[in-house]
Amino acid sequence: MKPRTLLTLAVVALLMASGTAIGAVTGSPDFDATFVDNTVTPGEETTLDVVLVNSGTVDSGPTSQAVRSSEVTTARGTTVKVNDGDAPITVTTSKQAVGSVPEGKTQPISFDISVDDDASPGDYTVPVIVEYEYTSYISENDGARDEETTTKRIELELEIDDDAAFDVVDVDSGARVDSVGTVAVTVENTGDEPAREASVTLESTNPELTVGSDTSSSRFIDTWEAGEQRTLRYRVGASGDARAEPYQFDLQVDFDDTDGVRKSTSASSLGITPAREQTFSVRGVDSDVAVGDSGTYNVTLHNDGPVAVRDATVSLRSQSSEIAFGESDSAEQYIGTWEPGETRTVSVDASASEDASVRGYAISATVGYKDPEGDSGADDDIALGIRPEPEQSFELGNVESTLQAGDDGTIEASLTNTGDRTVRNVVLNWASDNDNISPKETQYAVGDLGPGESATVSFDAEVSDNANAGPRQFDFVANYRNSEGDSRESDTLEVRQSVGGSADEFIVETTNASVNVGGSNTLEVTITNDAGERLTDIEAKLFTEDPISVSDDQAYVESLDQGESATIEFGISASGAAMTKNYPVSLDFQYEEPDGDTPVSDTYRLPVSVTNSGGGSSPLTAIIGVALVAALAIGGYFRFR
């Protein structure tokens, strides 16, 4: 080949090598990797954080094409995997997708590992496998591209240290939803060396749970020997939104090794499951509270658990002004110790006002307590209700009366408990005010009456002679004691009953009721008992007026049964001036009734006939005779003068 030809070919090759002749960009990503912390300890469960570093290379192309230069140095669809290699570890995290990786370094990519308990201290090789795609060639003329797929294996060093190492061996949780409880975490120093001035920090990774008053809390251990177990207690709170399921917590130990170097290691992640919320439920409600009255309100509650409580109290609060507990709208009762699964019955005095209705009224209940750790808690989401019974009522029926003017009588009736509860010590009171009717007793003791039960009541009364016959209203009020033993008074019970007119106790007849002018005779009177009962010590008295006079005005009958008759006699006289006609005489009786009363009867008026029979002269004849005698006397006087 001629020297000229060779020179031409060399120039062409140089032009092609510079890229200016064909206009193309070529290059590739270039990966390296590091561990954020490459030191682990035997028996440890921890995380290896891998950071990828892409030092991309542009092989050819103008430097002015920065966009296309970065395109050939960017890895796409990047995945990372960590293998065990020759290290005594187990990688539990699978291959992870990273995506596009431009020049520079990535954020740490975490891989969970567990180190064998019997791992020997030393340095081990752990392979990191990076797979990715990239553009290796870009034409400046037509934009044509060449795509490549590459796998790169990077060997990293892992050190297994024989310093102190830590592992969680037990978790005992007393945490509960919507409460604070103690969580005991037992940690073992699984390393070969002791740790000094160790700070053990428990950290919550969920906002629904706290440690202490924050997201984390630490405990201090001065010296922690190899193989020694320590139990650390933390106060863990779970909000009301938490669930009774495992939540992740991280435990980190910061300590000084035997050389005084401060080190930090994660003992492991651990799960804490809060128990369900402490609750109580209603098992039964019973009440004998009636409208306008008080009674007992009983509530049976069940400790649903999960823990036993002490110093428990149950508070009830009325949500309506018609329902009260004593003089307040609330009541509280002490329960004390309350085991899960046990029921307790709370009994309080309650009342319903006169304005209350027979319907349900809302009552809220709260159970306050101390849990086994002495923390105060409360279940204030307990809804109750009370439905007052109808107002206590009575009814008077089957009313009968023997009241009549001028006599003693009786009002008798049937008193019925028309309420829904048993009432005790019932007393019916006479509440009428009538000038002409006076009860002998104003109370009638009935005793106890169950719902719908009746009892006969009666009142004896005196009716004056001035009483008029006709209907009367009689008022009664029932006093009783309710289920609480409190005295109560019913509404006024009104009955309407008639008072009869005055009635004669005796039927009086005369059998010899005449007397001659200026003469005397025996008046015979037959009396018959018409009082409806046996009468004794009957004393009769006769009253007369001029011209009739009585020489013996009293008579006595020892006794008369109903319907029995007796004849009594009185000596009477008619003056000489009496006229031949009927004159009235009066007769009354005082007697004793079976109950010991000694009333005086009404006055009986009887006719007495004055006659002029059997030689008797009439009043006119007597007057004429007297006049003649007077005339003769006067004449004789003047004659013999």
Side-chain angles (χ1 to χ4, degrees):
M1 186 177 294
K2 295 180 180 181
R4 183 179 179 87
T5 301
L6 293 175
L7 178 60
T8 300
L9 291 174
V11 170
V12 171
L14 289 173
L15 290 174
M16 291 181 64
S18 67
T20 58
I22 61 174
V25 178
T26 62
S28 65
D30 186 8
F31 278 108
D32 197 0
T34 61
F35 287 138
V36 175
D37 182 1
N38 71 332
T39 303
V40 296
T41 56
E44 182 181 18
E45 292 182 359
T46 186
T47 299
L48 284 179
D49 293 326
V50 178
V51 175
L52 296 180
V53 179
N54 179 6
S55 303
T57 302
V58 178
D59 296 328
S60 65
T63 57
S64 62
Q65 297 293 329
V67 174
R68 292 190 172 179
S69 296
S70 65
E71 189 172 352
V72 297
T73 59
T74 298
R76 301 186 306 276
T78 309
T79 62
V80 182
K81 183 179 181 181
V82 175
N83 291 334
D84 300 346
D86 64 352
I89 63 172
T90 300
V91 181
T92 58
T93 302
S94 302
K95 178 170 59 176
Q96 297 200 59
V98 179
S100 295
V101 181
E103 291 183 79
K105 65 179 181 179
T106 65
Q107 294 294 321
I109 307 165
S110 299
F111 292 85
D112 293 333
I113 68 168
S114 59
V115 184
D116 295 349
D117 292 337
D118 56 355
S120 299
D123 295 332
Y124 297 88
T125 300
V126 174
V128 176
I129 311 300
V130 183
E131 295 182 2
Y132 57 93
E133 297 176 358
Y134 70 99
T135 301
S136 61
Y137 169 86
I138 302 175
S139 171
E140 290 289 338
N141 295 326
D142 57 9
R145 287 171 168 76
D146 289 341
E147 306 294 339
E148 301 288 343
T149 299
T150 299
T151 299
K152 184 172 183 178
R153 179 186 179 96
I154 305 170
E155 303 285 347
L156 297 182
E157 183 179 282
L158 180 67
E159 179 184 358
I160 297 180
D161 196 350
D162 60 356
D163 281 340
F166 304 95
D167 191 22
V168 176
V169 297
D170 187 45
V171 177
D172 183 14
S173 173
R176 294 193 317 279
V177 173
D178 199 25
S179 183
V180 178
T182 298
V183 174
V185 182
T186 301
V187 184
E188 182 179 356
N189 180 356
T190 57
D192 295 330
E193 298 292 337
R196 307 199 184 277
E197 297 185 4
S199 175
V200 185
T201 302
L202 180 68
E203 182 176 10
S204 171
T205 62
N206 193 294
E208 294 173 351
L209 282 87
T210 59
V211 184
S213 59
D214 205 341
T215 59
S216 64
S217 182
S218 300
R219 298 293 180 268
F220 178 79
I221 300 175
D222 184 23
T223 301
W224 199 341
E225 298 293 342
E228 183 182 6
Q229 292 184 357
R230 291 294 186 99
T231 298
L232 297 313
R233 289 174 171 79
Y234 301 87
R235 300 284 286 166
V236 174
S239 71
D241 296 328
R243 297 177 178 272
E245 58 188 32
Y247 286 84
Q248 179 180 334
F249 285 74
D250 291 334
L251 193 73
Q252 178 175 310
V253 182
D254 297 303
F255 64 97
D256 291 343
D257 64 13
T258 54
D259 296 328
V261 178
R262 193 68 177 172
K263 293 187 176 181
S264 177
T265 180
S266 296
S268 65
S269 294
L270 60 138
I272 295 176
T273 302
R276 61 180 176 83
E277 185 177 0
Q278 173 66 33
T279 59
F280 300 83
S281 60
V282 180
R283 292 300 174 90
V285 174
D286 178 55
S287 169
D288 60 2
V289 178
V291 172
D293 202 353
S294 62
T296 302
Y297 182 62
N298 301 308
V299 181
T300 300
L301 297 169
H302 180 265
N303 181 357
D304 299 331
V307 300
V309 299
R310 58 185 175 86
D311 293 336
T313 59
V314 176
S315 300
L316 304 178
R317 181 173 295 277
S318 171
Q319 304 300 306
S320 171
S321 60
E322 279 81 25
I323 303 298
F325 299 104
E327 300 296 327
S328 174
D329 64 350
S330 63
E332 184 174 276
Q333 190 169 110
Y334 180 79
I335 300 299
T337 302
W338 199 343
E339 296 291 335
E342 287 187 338
T343 58
R344 294 284 191 273
T345 298
V346 176
S347 298
V348 297
D349 292 333
S351 61
S353 70
E354 297 284 354
D355 298 328
S357 305
V358 182
R359 66 173 181 85
Y361 289 89
I363 294 175
S364 61
T366 299
V367 180
Y369 58 88
K370 288 187 179 297
D371 65 15
E373 298 182 26
D375 294 319
S376 297
D379 184 358
D380 55 4
D381 194 25
I382 305 173
L384 299 170
I386 183 173
R387 183 183 181 87
E389 298 175 359
E391 187 173 3
Q392 176 61 42
S393 59
F394 297 89
E395 183 179 89
L396 280 174
N398 303 322
V399 184
E400 296 181 356
S401 170
T402 61
L403 299 178
Q404 64 181 40
D407 202 355
D408 293 345
T410 300
I411 292 182
E412 185 175 277
S414 177
L415 178 67
T416 302
N417 176 7
T418 54
D420 296 335
R421 330 175 266 175
T422 295
V423 288
R424 307 192 183 281
N425 300 335
V426 180
V427 175
L428 188 65
N429 296 275
W430 179 292
S432 294
D433 186 12
N434 192 307
D435 293 339
N436 294 320
I437 303 174
S438 300
K440 294 183 178 180
E441 297 286 345
T442 59
Q443 292 185 333
Y444 191 98
V446 177
D448 299 343
L449 284 179
E453 188 176 356
S454 300
T456 300
V457 296
S458 64
F459 290 88
D460 295 331
E462 296 178 356
V463 185
S464 73
D465 293 335
N466 298 326
N468 296 322
R472 300 285 195 282
Q473 176 174 302
F474 295 92
D475 297 338
F476 299 90
V477 173
N479 289 99
Y480 60 94
R481 292 194 179 274
N482 62 12
S483 59
E484 300 293 296
D486 298 326
S487 179
R488 292 290 183 265
E489 184 177 279
S490 74
D491 294 336
T492 300
L493 306 174
E494 300 173 348
V495 297
R496 184 180 174 86
Q497 202 65 25
S498 293
V499 174
S502 177
D504 294 332
E505 297 90 336
F506 301 95
I507 300 172
V508 179
E509 300 173 308
T510 58
T511 56
N512 184 16
S514 65
V515 61
N516 287 327
V517 175
S520 299
N521 199 6
T522 299
L523 176 63
E524 294 180 355
V525 180
T526 300
I527 62 173
T528 301
N529 180 1
D530 196 33
E533 58 186 355
R534 178 181 173 84
L535 303 178
T536 60
D537 294 332
I538 304 168
E539 298 178 6
K541 187 175 179 64
L542 186 68
F543 301 91
T544 63
E545 292 182 1
D546 190 61
I548 305 299
S549 62
V550 58
S551 59
D552 184 4
D553 63 355
Q554 292 187 351
Y556 176 78
V557 178
E558 183 176 357
S559 65
L560 285 177
D561 290 330
Q562 166 63 25
E564 186 179 1
S565 301
T567 300
I568 55 177
E569 298 177 346
F570 301 94
I572 60 173
S573 300
S575 69
M579 299 179 67
T580 57
K581 64 176 183 178
N582 289 335
Y583 287 91
V585 295
S586 299
L587 181 67
D588 65 17
F589 304 89
Q590 183 174 14
Y591 54 90
E592 184 174 341
E593 296 176 332
D595 60 4
D597 290 342
T598 56
V600 176
S601 72
D602 292 339
T603 299
Y604 297 81
R605 293 176 67 84
L606 304 173
V608 173
S609 177
V610 176
T611 63
N612 188 16
S613 61
S617 59
S618 66
L620 179 60
T621 302
I623 293 171
I624 294 172
V626 170
L628 288 174
V629 172
L632 289 174
I634 294 171
Y637 170 79
F638 285 103
R639 180 180 177 183
F640 291 104
R641 184 178 168 185

